[in-house]
Amino acid sequence: MINIFRHKGIAWFLKSVVFILVAISLYVQLISKNNLPELWSALQLRLQTASAWQKLAVAMAVAVAGWCLDAWKWRYVVRKIQQVSLWQAILAFFSGAAVSIFTPNRIGDFGGRVLLLHENNRYEGAALTLLGSAAQIIANTTVSSWVLLYFFTYLYPLAPHLHRILAIATLLYTCISLLLYYNYHHWENRVAKLKFLKSYQKYVTLIQHFSFKQLSYILMLSALRLYVSILQYALIVQALGADITLWKAITAVACIFCVQMLLPSMALVDLGVRGKTALFFFGVLIPAAVFNEVAILAAVWLTWLFNVALPAVIGVFVIARIKLYDET
């Protein structure tokens, strides 16, 4: 099969498309928002003390730690086919962020990451990257759903019948997710029975090379990545002066993550979804007398800037320097 990436003109065209789509996504989120000046004013007003800047600096350091942790997990997953350095894995994280910003639910992440692998390893790398993404989704949804259950049990009690439904659904989802994740050896048999998927069977077989211990390690790294993201978000909220304890901020952020995972979205509308869910959960936990809507939205915007926009911008430059084909 002819690899279209071997034509330099097409390779540069694809890189230009990525640049344009990232630019459009950032423009829609940052430039076209009518409330951006208001959010910027709120940031300036809230970040006037040394304590606020210290918390913001810690939040940024936590964000960088999250990037490195994410890269470490991807490096561990793809080592079955190729040894990559931590630096290469970090660059892969950025390239994945650039591609994912304009795809639904960030599904383009794996496509951006595999560009850092050798040309002959990219299909296998995509399958392994999807395994890491599956572990991250399971960690995000299971942990945050239990926190959501805690929220609707003790902090915002639901009607008894609704609470029972939520508790049963949370327990069932956790059990089913973990069963599917660990019973990976059945996947190959399922794929083999479907004719239109037979050509992908060899990529599914790669997953069989992971032991229970290795899968558990990947899941543990994914859970740790979630905790780091939640802590960063909570620190930013506190840095902007929200009258809330760190534990309650962590609870609210975990609930926000759970809702975001359940709602299909694109980066073009993702910031709006984040803002509405943040206002609800923080509105419950922060006393009405001291609740500042603009400050919460500013925290959402700043978190999005750290976790989505900045990595995507860096990723554009990474992709521009990537060789899409191996020169011989």
Side-chain angles (χ1 to χ4, degrees):
M1 183 174 62
I2 299 176
N3 192 333
I4 61 172
F5 293 147
R6 287 193 171 277
H7 193 289
K8 290 187 177 181
I10 294 178
W12 277 107
F13 170 76
L14 293 175
K15 291 180 180 181
S16 300
V17 169
V18 170
F19 172 81
I20 292 170
L21 291 176
V22 171
I24 291 174
S25 298
L26 293 177
Y27 173 82
V28 171
Q29 289 295 346
L30 300 177
I31 309 300
S32 67
K33 296 296 183 183
N34 295 327
N35 64 340
L36 184 59
E38 187 180 9
L39 296 178
W40 179 248
S41 298
L43 283 175
Q44 291 178 312
L45 180 64
R46 297 280 171 166
L47 296 175
Q48 291 184 347
T49 65
S51 175
W53 279 106
Q54 287 173 358
K55 288 181 179 178
L56 190 62
V58 172
M60 188 59 197
V62 171
V64 174
W67 299 348
C68 294
L69 183 61
D70 200 297
W72 180 270
K73 184 184 73 173
W74 183 76
R75 178 175 178 261
Y76 179 82
V77 170
V78 300
R79 68 176 186 164
K80 296 287 185 181
I81 58 169
Q82 181 179 327
Q83 293 292 332
V84 298
S85 65
L86 181 59
W87 176 245
Q88 287 176 311
I90 291 173
L91 294 180
F93 165 77
F94 289 130
S95 63
V99 177
S100 67
I101 195 173
F102 54 80
T103 53
N105 280 34
R106 316 282 168 102
I107 60 174
D109 176 72
F110 76 93
R113 290 187 189 236
V114 298
L115 295 177
L116 271 292
L117 296 175
H118 295 316
E119 184 180 0
N120 294 333
N121 292 335
R122 286 173 183 164
Y123 288 114
E124 292 86 351
L128 294 175
T129 303
L130 287 174
L131 172 64
S133 298
Q136 191 65 60
I137 291 173
I138 291 171
N140 288 359
T141 51
T142 52
V143 173
S144 61
S145 62
W146 283 102
V147 177
L148 188 70
L149 180 61
Y150 168 84
F151 177 88
F152 284 119
T153 301
Y154 299 105
L155 302 176
Y156 193 78
L158 293 175
H161 66 285
L162 292 177
H163 181 269
R164 282 194 295 271
I165 293 173
L166 181 60
I168 293 171
T170 301
L171 180 61
L172 284 176
Y173 176 79
T174 302
C175 294
I176 292 172
S177 297
L178 293 177
L179 282 172
L180 289 175
Y181 179 71
Y182 283 109
N183 285 275
Y184 59 91
H185 52 276
H186 293 306
W187 297 2
E188 184 180 10
N189 297 331
R190 296 286 186 272
V191 171
K193 292 179 181 179
L194 301 174
K195 292 184 178 180
F196 68 96
L197 290 178
K198 269 195 171 182
S199 58
Y200 300 99
Q201 185 177 357
K202 62 180 180 179
Y203 304 125
V204 178
T205 305
L206 283 171
I207 303 173
Q208 294 193 355
H209 297 159
F210 290 90
S211 65
F212 180 90
K213 183 178 178 180
Q214 290 172 327
L215 287 174
S216 297
Y217 181 67
I218 295 170
L219 196 59
M220 182 198 71
L221 290 177
S222 299
L224 187 58
R225 176 71 172 102
L226 171 65
Y227 296 147
V228 167
S229 299
I230 291 174
L231 177 61
Q232 178 213 355
Y233 198 148
L235 287 171
I236 290 176
V237 170
Q238 284 200 323
L240 294 183
D243 187 11
I244 187 172
T245 63
L246 183 60
W247 167 247
K248 285 189 175 181
I250 288 173
T251 301
V253 173
C255 293
I256 293 167
F257 281 6
C258 184
V259 173
Q260 288 176 187
M261 292 295 297
L262 295 174
L263 295 176
S265 66
M266 292 182 65
L268 294 175
V269 295
D270 189 35
L271 196 51
V273 174
R274 290 169 183 254
K276 291 177 182 178
T277 52
L279 288 176
F280 171 75
F281 288 107
F282 281 110
V284 172
L285 299 178
I286 299 177
V290 293
F291 181 72
N292 189 314
E293 180 177 318
V294 177
I296 295 299
L297 291 177
V300 172
W301 180 77
L302 195 58
T303 304
W304 180 88
L305 202 64
F306 280 162
N307 294 341
V308 179
L310 181 58
V313 171
I314 298 174
V316 168
F317 292 99
V318 172
I319 290 176
R321 296 178 62 85
I322 291 175
K323 293 179 180 179
L324 297 184
Y325 60 92
D326 297 334
E327 295 180 350
T328 56

